[in-house]
Amino acid sequence: MEKPSPVLGHNIGKASLISLEKGKIPPQAVDLEEVVLGAMMIDKKGVDEVIDILHPDVFYKDSHRSIYEAIYKLFESSEPVDLLTVSAQLRKEGKLDLVGGDFYLIKLTQKVASSAHIEFHARIILQKYIQRSLIKISNEIIEEAYNEGTDVFDLLDNAEAKLYEVTQGNLKRSAETAQNLVIQAKKKIEEIANKEGLSGIPSGFDKVDKLTSGWQPSDLIIIAARPGMGKTALTLSMARNIAVNSNIPVAFFSLEMSSVQLITRLISSETGLSSEKLRTGRLEKHEWEQLNVKVKALESAPLFIDDTPSLSIFDLRAKARRLASQHKIKLIVLDYLQLMTAGGSQKGGNREQEISTISRNLKALAKELNVPVIALSQLSRAVETRGGSKRPILSDLRESGAIEQDADIVSFIYRPEYYKIDEWDDEERTPTQGQAEFIVAKHRNGGLDNIRLKFIGQLGKFDNLDVFDSPFEFQSKMNADGENPFITKNLPSADDAFGSSMNDNPDLDPDDNEVPF
């Protein structure tokens, strides 16, 4: 048998002996369990104070677990909770004799005079349960760590996931009754009514929010486009709207650009100063004042940018969990999916299998943290080879159909101006300059639409498009020179606009080095 290293082996052996030492009793507070159950049966206020803190599994003794389950069922049915009703409920379930009969229930009620301090006692019971859970998880991790066939990265990911669940106070979700779910749904509908129809995170784009009711928790949203359409610009505009206007914490993972480059884009968007001026630092005195004043809102925004290159899905999940725990993030943005690696034991597969793994894990992450995850994606060159408008379709998603399958929303960015198309293909033949189309091609829980947005190239910014009811009203908005004041003119060249590091990577797409975004 192979001997462990002198230092490491000694430490592991010592830790195992300590953790598995005979005679140790799991953390418990049976006396407090008795007090809490007794208080709940003599005082309704006690039930109201702890019913949301405790669940049956937190009780150490099986009999206490059964008694609490009976109390919980009575509470759910809006029945009174007292010594007689709990006894009747246990008798109905055939558990009264198992818990010690009426004599034991009476004994519990005699231990307390009121429900004073019941919440404090309940939290101690919960702490003991968490300690027992940590011991159980630790033993499972030790067992898996000794298994030579276990992938170390999968082990780390599983360990962190279990510990995160403990942190959230919800170790394992169980099936919920239709009654509970209906109550939750009705409560959510009431909240939506108070928020003017927005049940999710508002993007800041009015028509997009109207279609989606905001980005919904646990949804995976794919925003795909060819290089040059402005994927990063759109998601940065969204992140800015959410973090600055709504004060909602956002995590932005950029595998392509550095955090300083991204924040410079946001500064340009916020201040109205071109990227060229910010890059060269050639600002007039009033522009310096403008810069200092207008970035204050951005400075205080709850926006967290991570520019770790070659990020694996394992690393992303670990970082996202920490951000959710420490900063309560409500939205995750990933720029962009094809630059990620699967990591762990998935490295041996082909690229399509790897993308499938990444896509599946992104959806799992969205459900685990209960936040929307927006992932940017590349489109294949099939778009460029098509004739006509070159408007993207679902089959253009690059490298894997799993992306389309896993996503709750699949959307595209389309700018006809990029393809030298001067007019939209509508009845009014309106000009395409300074405009983009946000195409919702798949929407699992809603409708589809093509939504036009304003695109300001020199600021790397998307905004709501001003709506004109008729061509005559559109003409009335033209200035004295016959120009549309809502369209930004004299856009910089591709080299002077916001560069994209993916343009320098020949392995991604030979066409990518022709574009600014």
Side-chain angles (χ1 to χ4, degrees):
M1 183 176 177
E2 186 179 348
K3 293 183 178 180
S5 64
V7 177
L8 184 61
H10 173 73
N11 290 338
I12 290 175
K14 187 176 180 181
S16 300
L17 286 173
I18 292 171
S19 63
L20 302 176
E21 184 181 350
K22 291 183 179 180
K24 282 203 169 184
I25 300 173
Q28 55 182 289
V30 175
D31 54 339
L32 291 181
E33 291 180 9
E34 294 173 349
V35 169
V36 167
L37 291 173
M40 293 178 80
M41 286 189 285
I42 66 170
D43 191 347
K44 181 182 181 300
K45 182 183 176 184
V47 177
D48 296 335
E49 286 192 14
V50 304
I51 203 74
D52 290 332
I53 299 174
L54 302 179
H55 54 88
D57 290 339
V58 306
F59 289 89
Y60 182 72
K61 287 186 68 174
D62 290 341
S63 58
H64 292 170
R65 191 177 302 122
S66 298
I67 294 169
Y68 185 80
E69 284 176 346
I71 292 173
Y72 197 90
K73 287 177 182 176
L74 290 168
F75 177 82
E76 278 189 315
S77 305
S78 300
E79 299 288 339
V81 176
D82 56 36
L83 180 61
L84 294 177
T85 56
V86 173
S87 174
Q89 180 67 30
L90 286 167
R91 187 179 289 108
K92 179 181 175 183
E93 296 174 2
K95 295 180 180 179
L96 183 59
D97 292 336
L98 294 176
V99 303
D102 287 330
F103 174 77
Y104 188 70
L105 296 180
I106 294 170
K107 181 183 173 183
L108 292 179
T109 59
Q110 290 176 339
K111 281 185 173 287
V112 289
S114 72
S115 63
H117 313 301
I118 189 172
E119 183 179 348
F120 180 76
H121 296 153
R123 294 198 181 280
I124 294 176
I125 295 171
L126 184 61
Q127 288 171 18
K128 298 299 181 184
Y129 170 64
I130 291 173
Q131 286 177 277
R132 295 197 301 272
S133 301
L134 288 172
I135 291 169
K136 178 176 179 290
I137 290 169
S138 299
N139 287 331
E140 290 174 355
I141 294 169
I142 290 170
E143 189 70 26
E144 291 175 9
Y146 274 113
N147 185 354
E148 294 294 336
T150 303
D151 182 273
V152 65
F153 294 105
D154 288 343
L155 176 60
L156 281 170
D157 189 35
N158 292 335
E160 188 164 29
K162 289 175 181 177
L163 291 172
Y164 178 79
E165 288 173 358
V166 173
T167 304
Q168 299 305 303
N170 183 22
L171 259 96
K172 190 175 288 186
R173 280 188 191 174
S174 57
E176 294 192 66
T177 65
Q179 182 184 14
N180 285 344
L181 294 173
V182 168
I183 292 170
Q184 291 176 33
K186 286 170 65 179
K187 186 176 179 181
K188 188 173 182 181
I189 292 168
E190 290 173 2
E191 291 174 355
I192 295 169
N194 295 330
K195 294 180 181 177
E196 298 180 355
L198 287 183
S199 57
I201 307 297
S203 68
F205 300 118
D206 297 338
K207 289 188 176 180
V208 175
D209 290 337
K210 185 177 179 181
L211 179 68
T212 63
S213 296
W215 302 129
Q216 300 298 313
S218 80
D219 273 6
L220 173 60
I221 301 113
I222 299 295
I223 299 178
R226 285 296 293 157
M229 294 296 116
K231 296 187 294 294
T232 304
L234 178 67
T235 47
L236 268 181
S237 296
M238 282 187 191
R240 182 262 167 212
N241 293 340
I242 294 166
V244 176
N245 292 347
S246 302
N247 199 36
I248 295 174
V250 178
F252 198 107
F253 292 91
S254 175
L255 284 75
E256 184 189 10
M257 300 177 65
S258 74
S259 54
V260 175
Q261 287 176 316
L262 287 173
I263 207 69
T264 303
R265 277 195 177 199
L266 283 172
I267 291 171
S268 175
S269 171
E270 198 75 6
T271 62
L273 300 172
S274 69
S275 60
E276 184 181 1
K277 285 192 173 185
L278 294 176
R279 189 167 56 245
T280 59
R282 296 173 183 170
L283 304 179
E284 302 293 335
K285 183 179 179 181
H286 72 277
E287 290 174 329
W288 280 111
E289 293 175 357
Q290 182 178 342
L291 174 64
N292 292 328
V293 170
K294 292 195 174 182
V295 295
K296 290 190 182 298
L298 192 59
E299 286 176 355
S300 58
L303 177 62
F304 305 90
I305 299 176
D306 187 307
D307 61 357
T308 305
S310 302
L311 192 68
S312 70
I313 188 64
F314 160 73
D315 291 330
L316 174 69
R317 289 175 67 175
K319 287 171 179 286
R321 288 188 192 113
R322 281 192 286 272
L323 284 168
S325 177
Q326 296 170 9
H327 302 289
K328 311 298 181 187
I329 57 167
K330 299 299 182 185
L331 176 74
I332 296 171
V333 180
L334 174 66
D335 184 12
Y336 64 95
L337 194 150
Q338 279 81 6
L339 289 178
M340 287 198 74
T341 59
S345 58
Q346 300 294 331
K347 292 180 180 177
N350 60 39
R351 185 56 180 162
E352 186 168 335
Q353 291 172 333
E354 197 172 17
I355 292 293
S356 298
T357 300
I358 293 167
S359 174
R360 187 167 58 252
N361 276 274
L362 287 175
K363 176 59 182 175
L365 178 65
K367 290 186 69 178
E368 178 186 344
L369 300 184
N370 197 35
V371 300
V373 173
I374 298 177
L376 304 189
S377 178
Q378 284 280 51
L379 293 178
S380 69
R381 283 193 295 268
V383 179
E384 312 290 345
T385 59
R386 279 202 302 268
S389 67
K390 302 187 185 297
R391 188 178 268 106
I393 55 176
L394 283 171
S395 59
D396 294 326
L397 278 171
R398 186 171 170 179
E399 290 184 305
S400 177
I403 299 175
E404 177 187 344
Q405 177 182 324
D406 295 327
D408 297 278
I409 295 177
V410 178
S411 56
F412 303 111
I413 306 170
Y414 170 58
R415 290 197 301 115
E417 184 183 4
Y418 176 79
Y419 297 112
K420 313 300 181 188
I421 299 173
D422 299 327
E423 296 179 336
W424 289 102
D425 50 357
D426 52 18
E427 293 181 2
E428 292 82 11
R429 309 302 294 181
T430 52
T432 61
Q433 187 182 4
Q435 293 185 15
E437 200 169 54
F438 186 77
I439 303 169
V440 180
K442 175 190 175 182
H443 191 184
R444 185 167 284 159
N445 301 306
L448 310 179
D449 200 359
N450 297 345
I451 298 167
R452 291 186 192 172
L453 300 172
K454 184 191 297 184
F455 175 65
I456 307 172
Q458 64 182 11
L459 301 181
K461 178 181 179 180
F462 281 79
D463 206 343
N464 290 301
L465 184 67
D466 295 286
V467 180
F468 303 103
D469 296 331
S470 69
F472 302 102
E473 185 178 351
F474 178 83
Q475 289 294 332
S476 70
K477 299 292 183 182
M478 306 294 272
N479 61 25
D481 298 325
E483 298 171 342
N484 183 359
F486 295 99
I487 296 177
T488 303
K489 296 184 66 181
N490 302 322
L491 297 180
S493 66
D495 293 333
D496 291 336
F498 299 97
S500 174
S501 60
M502 73 180 178
N503 301 336
D504 303 325
N505 189 344
D507 296 330
L508 292 177
D509 193 330
D511 292 346
D512 289 355
N513 55 14
E514 300 176 3
V515 297
F517 293 91

